[in-house]
Amino acid sequence: MIKAGDLCVFDNKCPHRSKANKSNLVDKIVHVSKTNDYAGYDILSFDENGDQIFIEVKTTKGPKSSDFYISPGEVKRSKSINNYFLYRVFNFDMKNKTGDLYIKKGKIEDNFNLKPTGYKASL
């Protein structure tokens, strides 16, 4: 399932698009989560130097301080990739498909307070 916040970041003129455009790489930006929801990031893009960046998008309708969910796989991936970014879309308006944005680079656990919220059960 493609999330509206992912599309907002992928389609609109967010920072990664304008930076990639400078190095003529805009056509190589990939919306990874359209075909692979387990990659640990949503968008493969490029910075102003042409280096790959890996973007995870998290969206809430509420303010910047709203909690959001992140998977153990996304946290793990943020530890194993140098150019990992979390694009945090907040105050998201579903009708207009717009919201405010802040960006954090690096390991998820270095940028956010993490609280376990679930268990996996098996027989």
Side-chain angles (χ1 to χ4, degrees):
M1 180 180 109
I2 300 171
K3 298 167 279 223
D6 290 16
L7 291 174
C8 178
V9 171
F10 186 80
D11 293 337
N12 291 340
K13 298 197 184 311
C14 286
H16 75 101
R17 280 223 175 267
S18 60
K19 289 178 181 178
N21 201 18
K22 290 179 185 176
S23 57
N24 299 319
L25 294 169
V26 74
D27 291 334
K28 294 184 179 183
I29 297 171
V30 179
H31 193 166
V32 174
S33 62
K34 280 175 93 172
T35 58
N36 181 359
D37 204 32
Y38 298 100
Y41 58 93
D42 296 314
I43 298 168
L44 171 62
S45 190
F46 302 89
D47 65 16
E48 61 275 1
N49 298 319
D51 296 325
Q52 289 182 330
I53 62 171
F54 304 85
I55 300 169
E56 175 60 31
V57 181
K58 293 297 176 187
T59 307
T60 58
K61 293 178 185 177
K64 184 177 181 178
S65 60
S66 296
D67 292 345
F68 59 92
Y69 291 96
I70 190 154
S71 74
E74 292 161 346
V75 173
K76 183 178 178 182
R77 193 70 159 150
S78 76
K79 295 176 188 178
S80 67
I81 298 175
N82 289 333
N83 287 334
Y84 192 93
F85 291 80
L86 187 127
Y87 277 47
R88 178 73 173 85
V89 181
F90 60 99
N91 294 330
F92 189 70
D93 179 343
M94 284 296 291
K95 181 180 177 186
N96 296 313
K97 307 290 189 238
T98 59
D100 298 315
L101 174 74
Y102 70 84
I103 300 169
K104 294 285 188 175
K105 180 181 180 182
K107 298 175 187 172
I108 298 297
E109 63 190 9
D110 291 347
N111 289 300
F112 299 95
N113 296 317
L114 300 178
K115 298 175 195 164
T117 58
Y119 296 91
K120 181 178 180 180
S122 62
L123 292 176

PDB file of all heavy atoms in Angstrom, residues 3 6 30-34 36-45 52-57 71 73-75 77-78 80-81 83-85:
ATOM      1  N   LYS A   3       1.515   5.001   0.762  1.00  0.00           N
ATOM      2  CA  LYS A   3       0.978   5.954   1.718  1.00  0.00           C
ATOM      3  C   LYS A   3       0.996   7.372   1.144  1.00  0.00           C
ATOM      4  O   LYS A   3       1.889   7.740   0.379  1.00  0.00           O
ATOM      5  CB  LYS A   3       1.771   5.872   3.007  1.00  0.00           C
ATOM      6  CG  LYS A   3       1.665   4.488   3.674  1.00  0.00           C
ATOM      7  CD  LYS A   3       2.674   4.312   4.765  1.00  0.00           C
ATOM      8  CE  LYS A   3       3.948   3.965   4.146  1.00  0.00           C
ATOM      9  NZ  LYS A   3       4.849   3.043   4.505  1.00  0.00           N
ATOM     10  N   ASP A   6       4.195   9.389   1.666  1.00  0.00           N
ATOM     11  CA  ASP A   6       5.271   8.989   0.749  1.00  0.00           C
ATOM     12  C   ASP A   6       5.117   9.710  -0.583  1.00  0.00           C
ATOM     13  O   ASP A   6       6.088  10.217  -1.156  1.00  0.00           O
ATOM     14  CB  ASP A   6       5.237   7.486   0.474  1.00  0.00           C
ATOM     15  CG  ASP A   6       5.635   6.633   1.656  1.00  0.00           C
ATOM     16  OD1 ASP A   6       5.652   7.149   2.789  1.00  0.00           O
ATOM     17  OD2 ASP A   6       5.927   5.455   1.444  1.00  0.00           O
ATOM     18  N   VAL A  30      13.839   6.550  -7.053  1.00  0.00           N
ATOM     19  CA  VAL A  30      12.970   5.378  -7.051  1.00  0.00           C
ATOM     20  C   VAL A  30      12.076   5.388  -5.811  1.00  0.00           C
ATOM     21  O   VAL A  30      12.555   5.559  -4.688  1.00  0.00           O
ATOM     22  CB  VAL A  30      13.810   4.073  -7.062  1.00  0.00           C
ATOM     23  CG1 VAL A  30      12.909   2.849  -7.027  1.00  0.00           C
ATOM     24  CG2 VAL A  30      14.736   4.047  -8.254  1.00  0.00           C
ATOM     25  N   HIS A  31      10.794   5.165  -6.030  1.00  0.00           N
ATOM     26  CA  HIS A  31       9.846   5.013  -4.921  1.00  0.00           C
ATOM     27  C   HIS A  31       9.854   3.530  -4.528  1.00  0.00           C
ATOM     28  O   HIS A  31       9.004   2.753  -4.939  1.00  0.00           O
ATOM     29  CB  HIS A  31       8.466   5.473  -5.358  1.00  0.00           C
ATOM     30  CG  HIS A  31       7.524   5.640  -4.215  1.00  0.00           C
ATOM     31  ND1 HIS A  31       6.340   6.296  -4.338  1.00  0.00           N
ATOM     32  CD2 HIS A  31       7.588   5.242  -2.923  1.00  0.00           C
ATOM     33  CE1 HIS A  31       5.707   6.278  -3.179  1.00  0.00           C
ATOM     34  NE2 HIS A  31       6.451   5.647  -2.307  1.00  0.00           N
ATOM     35  N   VAL A  32      10.817   3.156  -3.737  1.00  0.00           N
ATOM     36  CA  VAL A  32      11.106   1.760  -3.386  1.00  0.00           C
ATOM     37  C   VAL A  32       9.908   1.077  -2.730  1.00  0.00           C
ATOM     38  O   VAL A  32       9.603  -0.078  -3.030  1.00  0.00           O
ATOM     39  CB  VAL A  32      12.348   1.683  -2.472  1.00  0.00           C
ATOM     40  CG1 VAL A  32      12.596   0.272  -1.976  1.00  0.00           C
ATOM     41  CG2 VAL A  32      13.574   2.229  -3.198  1.00  0.00           C
ATOM     42  N   SER A  33       9.210   1.774  -1.857  1.00  0.00           N
ATOM     43  CA  SER A  33       8.117   1.135  -1.110  1.00  0.00           C
ATOM     44  C   SER A  33       6.912   0.779  -1.988  1.00  0.00           C
ATOM     45  O   SER A  33       6.021   0.058  -1.542  1.00  0.00           O
ATOM     46  CB  SER A  33       7.678   2.012   0.067  1.00  0.00           C
ATOM     47  OG  SER A  33       7.179   3.260  -0.382  1.00  0.00           O
ATOM     48  N   LYS A  34       6.891   1.237  -3.230  1.00  0.00           N
ATOM     49  CA  LYS A  34       5.825   0.815  -4.154  1.00  0.00           C
ATOM     50  C   LYS A  34       5.934  -0.676  -4.456  1.00  0.00           C
ATOM     51  O   LYS A  34       4.931  -1.344  -4.683  1.00  0.00           O
ATOM     52  CB  LYS A  34       5.923   1.601  -5.473  1.00  0.00           C
ATOM     53  CG  LYS A  34       5.351   2.978  -5.424  1.00  0.00           C
ATOM     54  CD  LYS A  34       5.599   3.705  -6.714  1.00  0.00           C
ATOM     55  CE  LYS A  34       4.446   3.536  -7.671  1.00  0.00           C
ATOM     56  NZ  LYS A  34       4.599   4.409  -8.861  1.00  0.00           N
ATOM     57  N   ASN A  36       8.583  -2.778  -2.713  1.00  0.00           N
ATOM     58  CA  ASN A  36       9.243  -3.505  -1.639  1.00  0.00           C
ATOM     59  C   ASN A  36       9.017  -2.773  -0.322  1.00  0.00           C
ATOM     60  O   ASN A  36       9.717  -1.812  -0.018  1.00  0.00           O
ATOM     61  CB  ASN A  36      10.744  -3.635  -1.931  1.00  0.00           C
ATOM     62  CG  ASN A  36      11.479  -4.408  -0.858  1.00  0.00           C
ATOM     63  OD1 ASN A  36      10.899  -4.843   0.133  1.00  0.00           O
ATOM     64  ND2 ASN A  36      12.771  -4.582  -1.046  1.00  0.00           N
ATOM     65  N   ASP A  37       8.058  -3.243   0.447  1.00  0.00           N
ATOM     66  CA  ASP A  37       7.731  -2.600   1.714  1.00  0.00           C
ATOM     67  C   ASP A  37       8.664  -3.025   2.849  1.00  0.00           C
ATOM     68  O   ASP A  37       8.511  -2.597   3.976  1.00  0.00           O
ATOM     69  CB  ASP A  37       6.282  -2.882   2.091  1.00  0.00           C
ATOM     70  CG  ASP A  37       5.708  -1.832   3.024  1.00  0.00           C
ATOM     71  OD1 ASP A  37       6.117  -0.659   2.931  1.00  0.00           O
ATOM     72  OD2 ASP A  37       4.862  -2.188   3.863  1.00  0.00           O
ATOM     73  N   TYR A  38       9.642  -3.867   2.547  1.00  0.00           N
ATOM     74  CA  TYR A  38      10.545  -4.386   3.580  1.00  0.00           C
ATOM     75  C   TYR A  38      11.992  -3.929   3.395  1.00  0.00           C
ATOM     76  O   TYR A  38      12.895  -4.459   4.026  1.00  0.00           O
ATOM     77  CB  TYR A  38      10.480  -5.919   3.612  1.00  0.00           C
ATOM     78  CG  TYR A  38       9.096  -6.409   3.962  1.00  0.00           C
ATOM     79  CD1 TYR A  38       8.228  -6.841   2.974  1.00  0.00           C
ATOM     80  CD2 TYR A  38       8.653  -6.385   5.278  1.00  0.00           C
ATOM     81  CE1 TYR A  38       6.938  -7.263   3.290  1.00  0.00           C
ATOM     82  CE2 TYR A  38       7.362  -6.804   5.601  1.00  0.00           C
ATOM     83  CZ  TYR A  38       6.518  -7.241   4.605  1.00  0.00           C
ATOM     84  OH  TYR A  38       5.251  -7.652   4.923  1.00  0.00           O
ATOM     85  N   ALA A  39      12.223  -2.931   2.563  1.00  0.00           N
ATOM     86  CA  ALA A  39      13.580  -2.448   2.316  1.00  0.00           C
ATOM     87  C   ALA A  39      14.144  -1.682   3.511  1.00  0.00           C
ATOM     88  O   ALA A  39      15.353  -1.550   3.650  1.00  0.00           O
ATOM     89  CB  ALA A  39      13.615  -1.574   1.065  1.00  0.00           C
ATOM     90  N   GLY A  40      13.272  -1.149   4.357  1.00  0.00           N
ATOM     91  CA  GLY A  40      13.724  -0.350   5.489  1.00  0.00           C
ATOM     92  C   GLY A  40      13.801   1.126   5.165  1.00  0.00           C
ATOM     93  O   GLY A  40      14.207   1.931   5.993  1.00  0.00           O
ATOM     94  N   TYR A  41      13.392   1.500   3.956  1.00  0.00           N
ATOM     95  CA  TYR A  41      13.299   2.899   3.541  1.00  0.00           C
ATOM     96  C   TYR A  41      12.284   2.961   2.404  1.00  0.00           C
ATOM     97  O   TYR A  41      11.957   1.954   1.791  1.00  0.00           O
ATOM     98  CB  TYR A  41      14.662   3.455   3.113  1.00  0.00           C
ATOM     99  CG  TYR A  41      15.319   2.710   1.979  1.00  0.00           C
ATOM    100  CD1 TYR A  41      15.142   3.121   0.660  1.00  0.00           C
ATOM    101  CD2 TYR A  41      16.096   1.593   2.212  1.00  0.00           C
ATOM    102  CE1 TYR A  41      15.730   2.433  -0.387  1.00  0.00           C
ATOM    103  CE2 TYR A  41      16.692   0.895   1.177  1.00  0.00           C
ATOM    104  CZ  TYR A  41      16.507   1.324  -0.120  1.00  0.00           C
ATOM    105  OH  TYR A  41      17.092   0.635  -1.158  1.00  0.00           O
ATOM    106  N   ASP A  42      11.772   4.165   2.135  1.00  0.00           N
ATOM    107  CA  ASP A  42      10.712   4.334   1.148  1.00  0.00           C
ATOM    108  C   ASP A  42      11.185   4.849  -0.206  1.00  0.00           C
ATOM    109  O   ASP A  42      10.609   4.520  -1.236  1.00  0.00           O
ATOM    110  CB  ASP A  42       9.647   5.303   1.682  1.00  0.00           C
ATOM    111  CG  ASP A  42       8.949   4.755   2.910  1.00  0.00           C
ATOM    112  OD1 ASP A  42       8.561   3.573   2.891  1.00  0.00           O
ATOM    113  OD2 ASP A  42       8.793   5.502   3.894  1.00  0.00           O
ATOM    114  N   ILE A  43      12.215   5.683  -0.199  1.00  0.00           N
ATOM    115  CA  ILE A  43      12.650   6.357  -1.425  1.00  0.00           C
ATOM    116  C   ILE A  43      14.166   6.298  -1.536  1.00  0.00           C
ATOM    117  O   ILE A  43      14.880   6.597  -0.581  1.00  0.00           O
ATOM    118  CB  ILE A  43      12.188   7.827  -1.429  1.00  0.00           C
ATOM    119  CG1 ILE A  43      10.651   7.905  -1.392  1.00  0.00           C
ATOM    120  CG2 ILE A  43      12.731   8.571  -2.646  1.00  0.00           C
ATOM    121  CD1 ILE A  43      10.093   9.285  -1.110  1.00  0.00           C
ATOM    122  N   LEU A  44      14.651   5.927  -2.711  1.00  0.00           N
ATOM    123  CA  LEU A  44      16.080   6.002  -3.025  1.00  0.00           C
ATOM    124  C   LEU A  44      16.268   7.257  -3.857  1.00  0.00           C
ATOM    125  O   LEU A  44      15.668   7.406  -4.923  1.00  0.00           O
ATOM    126  CB  LEU A  44      16.531   4.779  -3.824  1.00  0.00           C
ATOM    127  CG  LEU A  44      17.944   4.838  -4.396  1.00  0.00           C
ATOM    128  CD1 LEU A  44      18.983   4.940  -3.285  1.00  0.00           C
ATOM    129  CD2 LEU A  44      18.212   3.626  -5.265  1.00  0.00           C
ATOM    130  N   SER A  45      17.074   8.182  -3.363  1.00  0.00           N
ATOM    131  CA  SER A  45      17.293   9.442  -4.064  1.00  0.00           C
ATOM    132  C   SER A  45      18.789   9.751  -4.093  1.00  0.00           C
ATOM    133  O   SER A  45      19.611   8.862  -3.852  1.00  0.00           O
ATOM    134  CB  SER A  45      16.508  10.566  -3.375  1.00  0.00           C
ATOM    135  OG  SER A  45      16.519  11.742  -4.153  1.00  0.00           O
ATOM    136  N   GLN A  52      23.953   8.359  -3.296  1.00  0.00           N
ATOM    137  CA  GLN A  52      22.645   7.837  -2.935  1.00  0.00           C
ATOM    138  C   GLN A  52      22.258   8.250  -1.521  1.00  0.00           C
ATOM    139  O   GLN A  52      23.104   8.273  -0.617  1.00  0.00           O
ATOM    140  CB  GLN A  52      22.636   6.315  -3.002  1.00  0.00           C
ATOM    141  CG  GLN A  52      22.692   5.770  -4.399  1.00  0.00           C
ATOM    142  CD  GLN A  52      22.623   4.254  -4.415  1.00  0.00           C
ATOM    143  OE1 GLN A  52      23.067   3.582  -3.487  1.00  0.00           O
ATOM    144  NE2 GLN A  52      22.066   3.709  -5.483  1.00  0.00           N
ATOM    145  N   ILE A  53      20.979   8.577  -1.342  1.00  0.00           N
ATOM    146  CA  ILE A  53      20.426   8.779  -0.010  1.00  0.00           C
ATOM    147  C   ILE A  53      19.183   7.897   0.103  1.00  0.00           C
ATOM    148  O   ILE A  53      18.499   7.628  -0.884  1.00  0.00           O
ATOM    149  CB  ILE A  53      20.105  10.259   0.308  1.00  0.00           C
ATOM    150  CG1 ILE A  53      19.049  10.831  -0.644  1.00  0.00           C
ATOM    151  CG2 ILE A  53      21.373  11.095   0.290  1.00  0.00           C
ATOM    152  CD1 ILE A  53      18.565  12.204  -0.227  1.00  0.00           C
ATOM    153  N   PHE A  54      18.939   7.409   1.305  1.00  0.00           N
ATOM    154  CA  PHE A  54      17.860   6.479   1.568  1.00  0.00           C
ATOM    155  C   PHE A  54      16.876   7.169   2.506  1.00  0.00           C
ATOM    156  O   PHE A  54      17.240   7.531   3.626  1.00  0.00           O
ATOM    157  CB  PHE A  54      18.414   5.196   2.183  1.00  0.00           C
ATOM    158  CG  PHE A  54      19.463   4.568   1.309  1.00  0.00           C
ATOM    159  CD1 PHE A  54      20.794   4.972   1.382  1.00  0.00           C
ATOM    160  CD2 PHE A  54      19.123   3.597   0.384  1.00  0.00           C
ATOM    161  CE1 PHE A  54      21.765   4.407   0.567  1.00  0.00           C
ATOM    162  CE2 PHE A  54      20.081   3.024  -0.442  1.00  0.00           C
ATOM    163  CZ  PHE A  54      21.409   3.433  -0.353  1.00  0.00           C
ATOM    164  N   ILE A  55      15.650   7.356   2.045  1.00  0.00           N
ATOM    165  CA  ILE A  55      14.669   8.167   2.760  1.00  0.00           C
ATOM    166  C   ILE A  55      13.519   7.301   3.280  1.00  0.00           C
ATOM    167  O   ILE A  55      12.857   6.609   2.514  1.00  0.00           O
ATOM    168  CB  ILE A  55      14.095   9.254   1.833  1.00  0.00           C
ATOM    169  CG1 ILE A  55      15.220  10.171   1.325  1.00  0.00           C
ATOM    170  CG2 ILE A  55      13.014  10.062   2.553  1.00  0.00           C
ATOM    171  CD1 ILE A  55      14.789  11.107   0.218  1.00  0.00           C
ATOM    172  N   GLU A  56      13.306   7.357   4.577  1.00  0.00           N
ATOM    173  CA  GLU A  56      12.123   6.767   5.200  1.00  0.00           C
ATOM    174  C   GLU A  56      11.168   7.916   5.490  1.00  0.00           C
ATOM    175  O   GLU A  56      11.577   8.945   6.031  1.00  0.00           O
ATOM    176  CB  GLU A  56      12.487   6.036   6.493  1.00  0.00           C
ATOM    177  CG  GLU A  56      11.313   5.500   7.256  1.00  0.00           C
ATOM    178  CD  GLU A  56      10.468   4.496   6.477  1.00  0.00           C
ATOM    179  OE1 GLU A  56      11.024   3.757   5.616  1.00  0.00           O
ATOM    180  OE2 GLU A  56       9.252   4.444   6.707  1.00  0.00           O
ATOM    181  N   VAL A  57       9.903   7.780   5.123  1.00  0.00           N
ATOM    182  CA  VAL A  57       8.907   8.823   5.321  1.00  0.00           C
ATOM    183  C   VAL A  57       7.939   8.397   6.422  1.00  0.00           C
ATOM    184  O   VAL A  57       7.410   7.284   6.390  1.00  0.00           O
ATOM    185  CB  VAL A  57       8.112   9.096   4.023  1.00  0.00           C
ATOM    186  CG1 VAL A  57       7.081  10.211   4.245  1.00  0.00           C
ATOM    187  CG2 VAL A  57       9.045   9.446   2.868  1.00  0.00           C
ATOM    188  N   SER A  71       9.186   0.633  12.314  1.00  0.00           N
ATOM    189  CA  SER A  71       9.393  -0.812  12.478  1.00  0.00           C
ATOM    190  C   SER A  71      10.821  -1.126  12.928  1.00  0.00           C
ATOM    191  O   SER A  71      11.739  -0.328  12.712  1.00  0.00           O
ATOM    192  CB  SER A  71       9.117  -1.524  11.154  1.00  0.00           C
ATOM    193  OG  SER A  71      10.184  -1.300  10.246  1.00  0.00           O
ATOM    194  N   GLY A  73      12.710  -3.178  11.515  1.00  0.00           N
ATOM    195  CA  GLY A  73      13.500  -3.238  10.279  1.00  0.00           C
ATOM    196  C   GLY A  73      13.981  -1.878   9.831  1.00  0.00           C
ATOM    197  O   GLY A  73      15.101  -1.731   9.336  1.00  0.00           O
ATOM    198  N   GLU A  74      13.145  -0.856  10.009  1.00  0.00           N
ATOM    199  CA  GLU A  74      13.535   0.504   9.642  1.00  0.00           C
ATOM    200  C   GLU A  74      14.622   1.023  10.581  1.00  0.00           C
ATOM    201  O   GLU A  74      15.592   1.651  10.141  1.00  0.00           O
ATOM    202  CB  GLU A  74      12.309   1.417   9.653  1.00  0.00           C
ATOM    203  CG  GLU A  74      11.336   1.083   8.543  1.00  0.00           C
ATOM    204  CD  GLU A  74       9.936   1.619   8.761  1.00  0.00           C
ATOM    205  OE1 GLU A  74       9.583   2.049   9.895  1.00  0.00           O
ATOM    206  OE2 GLU A  74       9.160   1.585   7.789  1.00  0.00           O
ATOM    207  N   VAL A  75      14.485   0.726  11.861  1.00  0.00           N
ATOM    208  CA  VAL A  75      15.509   1.123  12.834  1.00  0.00           C
ATOM    209  C   VAL A  75      16.826   0.430  12.502  1.00  0.00           C
ATOM    210  O   VAL A  75      17.894   1.060  12.476  1.00  0.00           O
ATOM    211  CB  VAL A  75      15.058   0.810  14.281  1.00  0.00           C
ATOM    212  CG1 VAL A  75      16.199   1.061  15.265  1.00  0.00           C
ATOM    213  CG2 VAL A  75      13.837   1.635  14.647  1.00  0.00           C
ATOM    214  N   ARG A  77      17.818  -0.789   9.614  1.00  0.00           N
ATOM    215  CA  ARG A  77      18.365  -0.280   8.353  1.00  0.00           C
ATOM    216  C   ARG A  77      19.060   1.064   8.560  1.00  0.00           C
ATOM    217  O   ARG A  77      20.085   1.344   7.946  1.00  0.00           O
ATOM    218  CB  ARG A  77      17.224  -0.148   7.338  1.00  0.00           C
ATOM    219  CG  ARG A  77      17.690   0.064   5.940  1.00  0.00           C
ATOM    220  CD  ARG A  77      18.343  -1.199   5.422  1.00  0.00           C
ATOM    221  NE  ARG A  77      18.329  -1.158   3.978  1.00  0.00           N
ATOM    222  CZ  ARG A  77      19.226  -1.723   3.226  1.00  0.00           C
ATOM    223  NH1 ARG A  77      20.197  -2.426   3.769  1.00  0.00           N
ATOM    224  NH2 ARG A  77      19.166  -1.639   1.932  1.00  0.00           N
ATOM    225  N   SER A  78      18.511   1.895   9.435  1.00  0.00           N
ATOM    226  CA  SER A  78      19.119   3.208   9.693  1.00  0.00           C
ATOM    227  C   SER A  78      20.518   3.076  10.289  1.00  0.00           C
ATOM    228  O   SER A  78      21.345   3.978  10.152  1.00  0.00           O
ATOM    229  CB  SER A  78      18.236   4.047  10.612  1.00  0.00           C
ATOM    230  OG  SER A  78      18.311   3.644  11.961  1.00  0.00           O
ATOM    231  N   SER A  80      22.625   0.634   9.400  1.00  0.00           N
ATOM    232  CA  SER A  80      23.531  -0.007   8.438  1.00  0.00           C
ATOM    233  C   SER A  80      23.807   0.823   7.182  1.00  0.00           C
ATOM    234  O   SER A  80      24.595   0.422   6.348  1.00  0.00           O
ATOM    235  CB  SER A  80      22.969  -1.379   8.026  1.00  0.00           C
ATOM    236  OG  SER A  80      21.772  -1.218   7.287  1.00  0.00           O
ATOM    237  N   ILE A  81      23.152   1.986   7.064  1.00  0.00           N
ATOM    238  CA  ILE A  81      23.319   2.839   5.883  1.00  0.00           C
ATOM    239  C   ILE A  81      23.841   4.198   6.328  1.00  0.00           C
ATOM    240  O   ILE A  81      23.275   4.820   7.228  1.00  0.00           O
ATOM    241  CB  ILE A  81      21.975   3.024   5.140  1.00  0.00           C
ATOM    242  CG1 ILE A  81      21.434   1.701   4.620  1.00  0.00           C
ATOM    243  CG2 ILE A  81      22.122   4.010   3.999  1.00  0.00           C
ATOM    244  CD1 ILE A  81      20.070   1.811   3.981  1.00  0.00           C
ATOM    245  N   ASN A  83      23.900   7.134   4.558  1.00  0.00           N
ATOM    246  CA  ASN A  83      23.071   8.246   4.114  1.00  0.00           C
ATOM    247  C   ASN A  83      21.590   7.956   4.307  1.00  0.00           C
ATOM    248  O   ASN A  83      20.801   8.005   3.370  1.00  0.00           O
ATOM    249  CB  ASN A  83      23.356   8.573   2.642  1.00  0.00           C
ATOM    250  CG  ASN A  83      24.689   9.264   2.470  1.00  0.00           C
ATOM    251  OD1 ASN A  83      25.180   9.909   3.390  1.00  0.00           O
ATOM    252  ND2 ASN A  83      25.271   9.144   1.310  1.00  0.00           N
ATOM    253  N   TYR A  84      21.198   7.652   5.548  1.00  0.00           N
ATOM    254  CA  TYR A  84      19.813   7.346   5.886  1.00  0.00           C
ATOM    255  C   TYR A  84      19.160   8.614   6.428  1.00  0.00           C
ATOM    256  O   TYR A  84      19.710   9.284   7.300  1.00  0.00           O
ATOM    257  CB  TYR A  84      19.762   6.249   6.944  1.00  0.00           C
ATOM    258  CG  TYR A  84      18.392   5.661   7.164  1.00  0.00           C
ATOM    259  CD1 TYR A  84      17.988   4.527   6.469  1.00  0.00           C
ATOM    260  CD2 TYR A  84      17.502   6.220   8.072  1.00  0.00           C
ATOM    261  CE1 TYR A  84      16.735   3.959   6.677  1.00  0.00           C
ATOM    262  CE2 TYR A  84      16.249   5.661   8.288  1.00  0.00           C
ATOM    263  CZ  TYR A  84      15.877   4.535   7.580  1.00  0.00           C
ATOM    264  OH  TYR A  84      14.632   3.982   7.795  1.00  0.00           O
ATOM    265  N   PHE A  85      17.984   8.940   5.889  1.00  0.00           N
ATOM    266  CA  PHE A  85      17.255  10.130   6.310  1.00  0.00           C
ATOM    267  C   PHE A  85      15.829   9.757   6.679  1.00  0.00           C
ATOM    268  O   PHE A  85      15.205   8.932   6.006  1.00  0.00           O
ATOM    269  CB  PHE A  85      17.182  11.162   5.171  1.00  0.00           C
ATOM    270  CG  PHE A  85      18.494  11.785   4.832  1.00  0.00           C
ATOM    271  CD1 PHE A  85      19.411  11.121   4.027  1.00  0.00           C
ATOM    272  CD2 PHE A  85      18.817  13.050   5.297  1.00  0.00           C
ATOM    273  CE1 PHE A  85      20.622  11.695   3.700  1.00  0.00           C
ATOM    274  CE2 PHE A  85      20.030  13.636   4.975  1.00  0.00           C
ATOM    275  CZ  PHE A  85      20.933  12.962   4.173  1.00  0.00           C
TER     276      PHE A  85
END
